[in-house]
Amino acid sequence: MTRTTSPTRPRRIFADLTPLRTSLDYQRLWIGGTVSWVGQSMTALAISLQVYDITGSSFSVGLVGLFSLVPLIAFGLYGGAIADTVDRRKLGLYSSLGAAVLSIALATAALLGFHRVWFLYAVVALQAVCGALTGPARSAMIPRLLPAEQLPAANALNSVTMTFGTMVGPALGGLIVSLGGYQAAYLVDAVTFTAALYAMWRLPSMKPDRADGARGRASVVDGLRFLGTRPNIRMTFFSDMAAMVLAHPRALFPAVAGLWFGGGAGTVGLLVAATAAGALLGGLFSGWQGRVQRHGLAILLAVAAWGLAIAVFGLTRNLWLGMFFLALAGAADTTSMVFRTTMLQAATPDDMRGRLQGVFIVVVAGGPRLGDFLAGTAADLTSPAVAVTGGGLACVLVVGLLALRWRGFARYDARNPQA
């Protein structure tokens, strides 16, 4: 039962832990996801290191991302359709088990001295397929485990999981590889999957609620048609694309680290860490988000804040000041993500949640990659400063035009969710 006591001051500031206290199923799912995400981040780094160790080629390392991205996008929509057809608990359990088996295969190959780049690429692609199946199923489960008013808090906690894993996993993976080799990192990753598997195993059955009594495979096309009739849900995707495609300067960090700040690889690491630290803080200090009802307006303001922070970063030539604005951008991105995910979960019928979460995965995975390409192209044609600042301002302009085109989005009220 949800508690009705008034929140104390710390809960107004820090992340709301109510979902962890009121639902043991969500608690186990969150803990399992956090542990396994750290392990997956360790493996991602270890694979990149191993590919470079085998080939000595940065291009070959770059292909790791491509072999991950293509299956993730290709199977994202299909995984969502499966999540709207079968028991989501079983889908999450089996796909997580598949990812664990892949980590065991990596460890076994490393122990046997089987160092083949094609094998690593194949495992990366299969890992992406497992992720494309697990993601929609897991996200569609959460509204079945928690009341609607706790969804913002749950999504803020999920953002902490992702950011924490992204920050801690690579550092821990590098340490373990240096001490015990690649096989040690892969074995640790396989062990961490037990937490996710246990959480999935303890869940109740999660068959989609097919209100119309329909049977058979849920259609991807039907999901896209549904999206075409729901302007508020479409706006969550459009606003994220405005931020990630137009104002995503990550590809320019190596250039600006030297040109603006006189640094090298270490400076690039600081710029990446600043954005991640801001995102983590945005999740940790998210207690206020549960009191916000105008989720559409919150998304518009958060995306505009991202664009403005990136634009100002493009004008800075002081490293610490630049890191500050990147941290602000990271916090704004977390805020946007929390409300976008909450709206997607609350305003979508249960039998459509998997498919729309599949679209979400495609947008989240593809947007930043397209943004990297656009930023790099703009910087080559003009300059990094123009690309970064111009991209940030373009983000603000586009999200403003979107708000004018679909005015109802800013009036979206979480107490009466309308897709």
Side-chain angles (χ1 to χ4, degrees):
M1 178 178 293
T2 303
R3 301 185 181 184
T4 57
T5 54
S6 300
T8 60
R9 173 174 287 275
R11 283 185 58 191
R12 295 194 188 104
I13 298 174
F14 296 107
D16 186 356
L17 303 181
T18 302
L20 296 176
R21 292 195 296 266
T22 59
S23 172
L24 285 176
D25 287 327
Y26 175 77
Q27 181 188 100
R28 285 189 289 263
L29 197 64
W30 185 81
I31 293 174
T34 300
V35 173
S36 63
W37 191 259
V38 171
Q40 290 172 76
S41 299
M42 288 171 45
T43 288
L45 177 78
I47 288 176
S48 295
L49 292 174
Q50 190 174 6
V51 169
Y52 188 78
D53 191 24
I54 295 171
T55 65
S57 167
S58 296
F59 175 76
S60 298
V61 176
L63 286 179
V64 173
L66 183 64
F67 276 94
S68 176
L69 176 63
V70 172
L72 191 62
I73 292 177
F75 282 86
L77 295 176
Y78 184 65
I82 296 176
D84 284 340
T85 303
V86 303
D87 186 340
R88 290 159 179 166
R89 169 190 171 272
K90 290 182 179 179
L91 178 60
L93 182 63
Y94 295 152
S95 55
S96 296
L97 180 61
V101 170
L102 290 171
S103 293
I104 295 173
L106 285 170
T108 302
L111 283 168
L112 296 176
F114 185 74
H115 303 299
R116 299 292 186 275
V117 174
W118 66 263
F119 173 75
L120 297 176
Y121 288 158
V123 170
V124 165
L126 291 173
Q127 285 176 329
V129 172
C130 290
L133 296 175
T134 304
R138 187 181 187 279
S139 182
M141 291 176 191
I142 294 175
R144 300 273 290 270
L145 300 176
L146 298 169
E149 62 270 17
Q150 292 184 20
L151 291 179
N155 290 317
L157 290 170
N158 292 341
S159 76
V160 172
T161 289
M162 292 184 290
T163 310
F164 178 79
T166 302
M167 293 178 64
V168 174
L172 189 59
L175 177 63
I176 292 177
V177 168
S178 65
L179 295 176
Y182 302 116
Q183 62 272 15
Y186 300 143
L187 282 173
V188 171
D189 182 24
V191 171
T192 64
F193 268 109
T194 58
L197 291 171
Y198 175 74
M200 291 287 184
W201 178 68
R202 289 293 303 273
L203 288 173
S205 176
M206 288 278 181
K207 294 182 179 180
D209 182 12
R210 307 292 288 273
D212 58 358
R215 296 180 179 273
R217 179 73 62 189
S219 168
V220 173
V221 174
D222 286 344
L224 295 176
R225 287 173 178 166
F226 174 84
L227 181 60
T229 64
R230 299 300 189 271
N232 285 333
I233 299 300
R234 287 203 310 273
M235 270 290 289
T236 65
F237 297 133
F238 291 159
S239 59
D240 184 55
M241 291 178 67
M244 294 297 102
V245 175
L246 298 175
H248 195 257
R250 180 184 58 190
L252 303 182
F253 283 172
V256 304
L259 293 174
W260 298 356
F261 308 121
T267 303
V268 175
L270 289 175
L271 296 177
V272 174
T275 309
L280 179 61
L281 291 174
L284 293 176
F285 293 90
S286 59
W288 59 274
Q289 293 173 355
R291 301 191 300 275
V292 176
Q293 304 297 338
R294 300 280 293 278
H295 290 183
L297 180 60
I299 292 169
L300 294 173
L301 293 175
V303 173
W306 163 277
L308 285 174
I310 294 299
V312 177
F313 167 72
L315 300 175
T316 60
R317 297 299 179 268
N318 177 275
L319 176 60
W320 299 108
L321 186 60
M323 290 173 60
F324 171 76
F325 283 106
L326 287 177
L328 287 181
D333 185 46
T334 291
T335 300
S336 168
M337 185 278 295
V338 167
F339 289 117
R340 284 185 291 108
T341 305
T342 300
M343 187 181 294
L344 183 64
Q345 292 169 335
T348 304
D350 184 69
D351 63 336
M352 285 287 178
R353 284 181 180 140
R355 278 167 284 185
L356 293 196
Q357 185 62 29
V359 177
F360 182 86
I361 288 176
V362 171
V363 171
V364 170
R369 273 73 176 187
L370 184 57
D372 288 343
F373 173 76
L374 184 61
T377 302
D380 282 347
L381 294 175
T382 56
S383 69
V386 171
V388 175
T389 299
L393 295 177
C395 169
V396 176
L397 175 62
V398 168
V399 79
L401 293 175
L402 289 172
L404 290 174
R405 173 62 180 83
W406 287 283
R407 297 176 186 269
F409 185 69
R411 296 192 296 269
Y412 176 93
D413 192 326
R415 292 165 294 194
N416 182 31
Q418 298 292 326

